[in-house]
Amino acid sequence: MQNYEKIEIQKGVNLIIVKTDKFKTNLVSVYIKRPLNREEATKNALLPYVLKCGSRKYNSQVEISKKLDELYGSNLVAGVGKKGEKHILSFKLVMTNDKYIDEAIFEEGLTFMKDMIFDPLLEESAFSKGYFDVEAQNLRDAIRGRINDKAYYAVERCIEEMCKGENYSIHEDGYEEDIDLITPQNLYSHYKEVVATSPIDILVVGDIDSKRAEAAARSFFEGVLEKSRELIAIPDEQIYAAPAEVRNITESMDITQGKLCMGFRTNIHFSDPEYYPLAVYASVLGGGPHSKMFLNIREKESLCYYIYASVEKYKGLMMISSGIEFENYEKAMELIQKELADMKSGSITQLEMDNSKSAMTNSIRSMADSINGLSEFYYGQLVSGVFETPQEMIEKISRVSVEDVVRASEKIKMDTIYFLKN
């Protein structure tokens, strides 16, 4: 069992302490929040990886590895993602809990992490060109590699078309053509802007005293952030929309299996009372081997290789994704439409409800078995502003009725159908 505590360190800086004795490690995660937009998306995507390459004090991978070894094999990772139309840069340090070793390393680990994030390695007021060039090429390769996973690619293309003109259509890794516009100089200028204006949150997960975690967090930000920072405006997502008509997009590629993706506007905000009924709806429809689409379309009709439904919590979207033979497109569409109609009419058995709730409950509980899963979960709560423990979520799911699911289904509107064929 874990409990959490939220503490404001200063304007635009929050500390979340998640206390749990389940792990032999502590995890410190630093999240930097930016608006998701085309102008800075690629710079944001590149920045964490350049910072992780070296600091003024630890200016090579040899020095970094040596320090991590001194911290009893600690591990530092950097990454980037998006939650709705918020671009999230993250840094995570996993350390052995002090109680299992013969010295206190928690504060030392945070000092190392502070150096890596806030005291970067520079060459003439710019990031190190050598490290910049390596990471720019790595990002270029990652962007080019998106297309290799055709199922993922189809979902991303469906979102791009459905959300055209909206910032959610922007990929968290940015765009290859924009890499050519970035230099070590202008990336460093952007970095200074990010530090000066971004909301920054630090999460500590593990078996550690709250007062000690708070003192370490305050020291972490001391001397690097202005007390009266002017924070950048990060607009809320536009959730409620009624498409005038369903858009059909078909694209061709040299592939052996068709990828069908359908995008829906749920018109349900995560703070709305219909949110948990929506989550149950998606689970009953396509949340796993227990779901209607899996049992009826994949198993009974043998019409697809995979099929699932998922909800994007922060943007209020639902996606259905499936792999099918090219010639089965019309039949697959017909059967998916039938399952959607059955959901809307309330043709849902108690067994389907019970299996779906059980799957959702198990998923939430398994999340709590991962120290990183807990960090991501509680940061998601911070981003949404709706704080619920895993147990509170499970209880809300358990109270959802078939009637609740039907009411939620009435708000869901199909927006875009995307098909990737040979």
Side-chain angles (χ1 to χ4, degrees), residues 299-335:
E299 297 295 289
K300 190 182 293 183
E301 297 289 341
S302 300
L303 206 65
C304 57
Y305 298 97
Y306 67 86
I307 189 163
Y308 67 86
S310 61
V311 172
E312 203 294 325
K313 172 179 179 178
Y314 302 95
K315 181 62 177 171
L317 306 180
M318 185 180 78
M319 312 301 294
I320 293 176
S321 178
S322 180
I324 60 175
E325 294 293 339
F326 307 118
E327 63 272 17
N328 288 337
Y329 173 81
E330 296 294 341
K331 183 65 174 176
M333 283 294 301
E334 177 187 332
L335 292 177

Side-chain angles (χ1 to χ4, degrees), residues 328-398:
N328 288 337
Y329 173 81
E330 296 294 341
K331 183 65 174 176
M333 283 294 301
E334 177 187 332
L335 292 177
I336 292 171
Q337 294 278 20
K338 178 185 181 302
E339 299 301 338
L340 291 168
D342 284 351
M343 293 293 296
K344 199 165 187 176
S345 68
S347 181
I348 303 168
T349 67
Q350 191 57 50
L351 181 61
E352 288 172 329
M353 290 289 287
D354 291 344
N355 287 342
S356 298
K357 291 179 180 181
S358 176
M360 295 170 72
T361 297
N362 290 338
S363 177
I364 292 169
R365 286 180 174 151
S366 66
M367 170 276 299
D369 291 333
S370 159
I371 195 166
N372 185 60
L374 280 174
S375 182
E376 289 296 313
F377 172 82
Y378 280 99
Y379 181 64
Q381 305 284 289
L382 186 63
V383 171
S384 70
V386 179
F387 274 86
E388 297 168 330
T389 65
Q391 187 57 40
E392 287 169 339
M393 293 176 67
I394 289 169
E395 289 169 2
K396 288 187 176 183
I397 289 166
S398 71

Side-chain angles (χ1 to χ4, degrees), residues 1-5 17-27 97 99-100 204-210 367-375 378:
M1 185 67 183
Q2 71 277 158
N3 56 66
Y4 68 89
E5 186 177 354
I17 304 168
V18 182
K19 293 201 68 175
T20 174
D21 58 4
K22 200 168 196 174
F23 312 103
K24 293 184 177 180
T25 54
N26 293 322
L27 172 64
N97 191 306
K99 66 169 61 178
Y100 298 106
V204 177
V205 184
D207 188 8
I208 189 164
D209 178 73
S210 295
M367 170 276 299
D369 291 333
S370 159
I371 195 166
N372 185 60
L374 280 174
S375 182
Y378 280 99

